[in-house]
Amino acid sequence: MSWEENVRKVVPYVPGEQPKIDNLIKINTNENPYPPSPKVQKALSEYSSDDFRKYPDPTCAELVDALATVYSRKSSEIFVGVGSDDVLATAFLTFFNSDKPILFPDITYSFYDVWANVYRIPFKQMPLRADFSIDINDYMGENGGVVIANPNAPTGLELSTEFVEKIIEANRDVVVIVDEAYVDFGGKSVVDLIDKYDNLLVVRTFSKSRSLAGLRIGYAIGCEKLIKYMLDVKYSINSYTMNMPSLKLGAIAAYDKEYFELTTKKVIETREWTKKELKDLGFSFADSHTNFIFAKYNGEMSRDEIASKLRERKIIVRCFNGDKVKDYMRISIGTDEEMQTVIKELKDILK
Ligand SMILES: *Cc1c(COP(=O)(O)O)cnc(C)c1O
């Protein structure tokens, strides 16, 4: 008998790479190309290292209250964590304790099956249709919970509010998590439905639309009871999940509505321009409501060849493996200038 027999063995999630290369056009992990709110920079410069001597506020009140104000919710309806990855992991651990499988699409955020595995939660991946849309009938049977990324990643496709509600409605006896990581780029949120459904948890992040991936801030909105159960689990593992700067800078970013609207609008405009250019170059893609485009080239050259030629030109995109997605690359939306360069280089590669 070896200690290794009792190890919790898992196959970990593989995050997109963060290479240290100068002048790279990094469009592989859906980061925002614009800096965070200028108010964040200002507040950051006012820190003293002595501020870090004490523990941060375990209740995260500053950030929770800011989100409550900005989204017109009660503070007791908000949970914050170290990126939405932490929030989602906590939600999986808290709510998915059934012997029945939890359900999510076969093509979606590739962390869901990793959390299910690490927590030993049975799960079933429901196949998307050929056009990458969700068949809501797949989510009507008995299950241990449902997770839907909306808009979905890496496809970019949005499921209508009406259909999301049908899934929530059909699953009142389990928790339905709607991961709205990309909703701020022109998607439609279901957050208002939490008044109607106590089994709905909406999860969001500061990593994409608020340009703060490096600070690690995510949050969930749900009824008071759901949030209380998540807090109980959080306080059973780590009371001080959020560090002091995240609490303050996150709150400042949340309040800066004007800058947030300006930059998300800019990303949407650049996305629409990029769609048109990619189409002209012979790419096809599902209609994206996010800050990325999941595109397939319809000409001769293979995806991997295009991606490696882009890389030679210091442009990195994300490629996933698996039968249904092996011809697609996910292109995050950068600045106008960056996307013009990407299109110019693609034209040259494909000529
Ligand atoms: C990026 C992303 C997350 C994780 O975001 P963090 O807040 O940076 O942890 C969660 N879900 C989806 C669908 C994402 O694309």
Side-chain angles (χ1 to χ4, degrees):
M1 163 89 183
S2 147
W3 57 265
E4 269 190 287
E5 278 175 49
N6 292 315
V7 166
R8 181 173 293 256
K9 295 184 190 75
V10 287
V11 181
Y13 174 77
V14 183
E17 54 176 332
Q18 299 288 347
K20 300 269 171 295
I21 303 171
D22 289 337
N23 303 317
L24 186 71
I25 296 187
K26 190 177 174 302
I27 47 173
N28 68 326
T29 53
N30 298 343
E31 287 139 337
N32 199 306
Y34 301 107
S37 158
K39 293 177 181 164
V40 169
Q41 179 64 59
K42 184 167 176 297
L44 188 59
S45 62
E46 286 161 7
Y47 268 104
S48 145
S49 63
D50 189 56
D51 295 338
F52 303 142
R53 196 167 44 78
K54 292 191 205 144
Y55 283 107
D57 168 18
T59 70
C60 306
E62 196 171 0
L63 180 58
V64 166
D65 294 348
L67 289 165
T69 306
V70 169
Y71 293 111
S72 306
R73 304 299 329 179
K74 288 189 273 180
S75 295
S76 52
E77 294 170 327
I78 292 171
F79 177 93
V80 295
V82 188
S84 57
D85 286 343
D86 178 45
V87 175
L88 286 161
T90 305
F92 272 53
L93 183 59
T94 308
F95 301 121
F96 298 154
N97 280 300
S98 159
D99 295 332
K100 293 172 200 151
I102 62 166
L103 310 179
F104 46 84
D106 62 340
I107 301 164
T108 189
Y109 188 37
S110 49
F111 224 137
Y112 300 153
D113 56 318
V114 175
W115 289 314
N117 280 322
V118 71
Y119 294 134
R120 309 301 191 234
I121 300 163
F123 65 94
K124 223 163 123 185
Q125 292 163 295
M126 312 311 280
L128 293 182
R129 298 195 186 99
D131 63 358
F132 290 147
S133 63
I134 287 176
D135 182 350
I136 62 164
N137 295 311
D138 289 344
Y139 299 86
M140 299 296 154
E142 249 199 321
N143 63 68
V146 176
V147 189
I148 302 283
N150 199 41
N152 198 9
T155 66
L157 210 61
E158 185 172 47
L159 183 65
S160 74
T161 304
E162 183 197 341
F163 281 175
V164 178
E165 182 165 6
K166 284 204 168 118
I167 292 176
I168 302 163
E169 173 85 67
N171 289 285
R172 296 304 298 266
D173 56 342
V174 296
V175 172
V176 176
I177 297 176
V178 180
D179 180 351
E180 294 189 340
Y182 298 102
V183 79
D184 297 328
F185 300 103
K188 186 135 182 8
S189 177
V190 292
V191 74
D192 291 340
L193 292 180
I194 72 166
D195 292 320
K196 202 165 156 191
Y197 301 102
D198 67 353
N199 62 319
L200 168 63
L201 188 78
V202 174
V203 177
R204 301 219 194 118
T205 176
F206 280 49
S207 297
K208 282 94 186 204
S209 56
R210 294 192 190 270
S211 311
L212 287 172
L215 270 195
R216 312 302 301 127
I217 305 173
Y219 59 103
I221 309 180
C223 76
E224 208 169 309
K225 204 176 198 179
L226 281 187
I227 299 303
K228 172 70 168 66
Y229 278 123
M230 286 181 76
L231 286 170
D232 287 347
V233 168
K234 168 197 135 149
Y235 285 121
S236 305
I237 295 174
N238 180 2
S239 310
Y240 306 106
T241 48
M242 308 297 285
N243 63 57
M244 223 177 252
S246 295
L247 295 177
K248 170 163 258 97
L249 304 177
I252 288 169
Y255 282 125
D256 197 346
K257 197 166 167 229
E258 200 180 323
Y259 183 83
F260 167 75
E261 281 169 2
L262 191 80
T263 47
T264 46
K265 182 164 165 272
K266 192 81 199 96
V267 170
I268 292 168
E269 285 166 5
T270 310
R271 176 189 73 206
E272 294 307 310
W273 178 84
T274 308
K275 279 182 187 171
K276 194 166 59 59
E277 295 292 319
L278 285 175
K279 213 164 259 165
D280 289 348
L281 278 173
F283 285 86
S284 57
F285 40 84
D287 195 30
S288 167
H289 287 78
T290 61
N291 66 338
F292 60 82
I293 297 169
F294 197 51
K296 174 183 164 187
Y297 182 55
N298 296 309
E300 287 295 301
M301 199 178 288
S302 75
R303 176 202 66 179
D304 290 342
E305 193 176 350
I306 298 170
S308 89
K309 289 194 159 142
L310 282 171
R311 181 177 272 271
E312 286 164 15
R313 295 159 197 234
K314 289 197 172 189
I315 297 168
I316 53 170
V317 297
R318 185 94 182 259
C319 295
F320 296 96
N321 297 318
D323 246 15
K324 286 166 140 180
V325 296
K326 65 178 191 326
D327 295 329
Y328 288 80
M329 52 190 186
R330 195 188 65 189
I331 303 167
S332 310
I333 301 302
T335 60
D336 279 338
E337 199 190 358
E338 285 175 324
M339 298 322 283
Q340 279 158 14
T341 305
V342 171
I343 295 297
K344 182 167 80 63
E345 296 297 346
L346 275 174
K347 273 183 187 153
D348 192 55
I349 290 166
L350 299 170
K351 74 169 183 245

